[in-house]
Amino acid sequence: MSEDELLRLEQAYCYSAKGCYKGLVKLDLDLTPLFPYLRAVVKTLYFEPQEKIIFKYQHNGKDYKVSLSKNEVSFALVSDKDEAYEVWKSLKDYLERVWQKRSEIQPSFKPVQRPNPLEIYKLLPKTNCRECGFLSCLAFASALTTGDAEPTQCPYLDKVAQDYLLNIW
């Protein structure tokens, strides 16, 4: 089976007319030994050893949210099969490089849980100014917990809260 046959697209959670999909690849190998090495080198959004790791991956200047489970890789958001194939090829190479360099990486087994949006909301200025690009501070807090926003997007967030949020993961 070719890599192109392994890769499939599924409708992502966003508005379907936008053409936003997630790429999904099922593999015949166990990816869990790779997780602690990835945890050590990527911005990890979620990590439960032996279960799943979710992290941000950048390709051609665009951020993708990648999820790895035992034998499955998914990444989003992509606009079509061509973009999905290009991202998968790059991501696969990246994962292979991390595995090859594992002797040089101090693995991290520390779990990372998704922060509670309401706890993050308490740290925000609650102005609902929309200058961060979101409709409300609560929407911004929710986007922070999923890695779809960065604390630096809020122009009114004090330095202590910003530093805390930047280091929460």
Side-chain angles (χ1 to χ4, degrees):
M1 184 177 279
S2 75
E3 284 183 15
D4 194 41
E5 291 169 332
L6 292 172
L7 174 65
R8 68 173 213 246
L9 293 183
E10 289 185 357
Q11 184 64 52
Y13 52 83
C14 54
Y15 182 60
S16 59
K18 284 177 134 179
C20 53
Y21 302 94
K22 71 177 180 176
L24 187 64
V25 180
K26 292 198 183 265
L27 302 170
D28 291 330
L29 67 132
D30 184 356
L31 296 172
T32 56
L34 175 63
F35 294 179
Y37 299 100
L38 278 171
R39 165 71 177 95
V41 298
V42 297
K43 179 174 181 178
T44 308
L45 303 171
Y46 176 86
F47 174 56
E48 190 58 50
Q50 302 302 313
E51 181 190 319
K52 180 182 273 192
I53 184 168
I54 301 173
F55 61 94
K56 281 187 159 183
Y57 175 72
Q58 193 173 78
H59 174 70
N60 287 343
K62 182 177 174 185
D63 283 335
Y64 297 89
K65 200 177 310 175
V66 177
S67 175
L68 275 65
S69 58
K70 183 175 180 173
N71 62 351
E72 185 176 279
V73 178
S74 69
F75 50 91
L77 294 167
V78 295
S79 58
D80 56 31
K81 183 100 176 187
D82 290 338
E83 181 183 0
Y85 182 73
E86 184 181 312
V87 172
W88 167 238
K89 187 176 173 188
S90 171
L91 178 60
K92 181 180 172 221
D93 289 345
Y94 176 74
L95 297 174
E96 287 173 352
R97 281 193 311 275
V98 170
W99 183 250
Q100 289 168 356
K101 293 184 177 196
R102 67 188 180 279
S103 64
E104 303 167 25
I105 301 169
Q106 177 67 40
S108 175
F109 295 89
K110 182 181 177 190
V112 175
Q113 298 298 317
R114 179 180 170 202
N116 182 319
L118 292 177
E119 292 301 314
I120 290 178
Y121 176 73
K122 291 176 185 177
L123 300 172
L124 299 178
K126 300 170 198 68
T127 60
N128 295 327
C129 67
R130 300 181 182 187
E131 289 181 48
C132 62
F134 292 86
L135 294 177
S136 67
C137 289
L138 186 56
F140 179 62
S142 183
L144 284 169
T145 67
T146 60
D148 293 324
E150 293 293 329
T152 54
Q153 288 176 242
C154 177
Y156 303 107
L157 189 61
D158 69 61
K159 179 81 170 121
V160 172
Q162 188 178 79
D163 288 345
Y164 171 77
L165 292 172
L166 285 169
N167 294 306
I168 205 167
W169 291 274

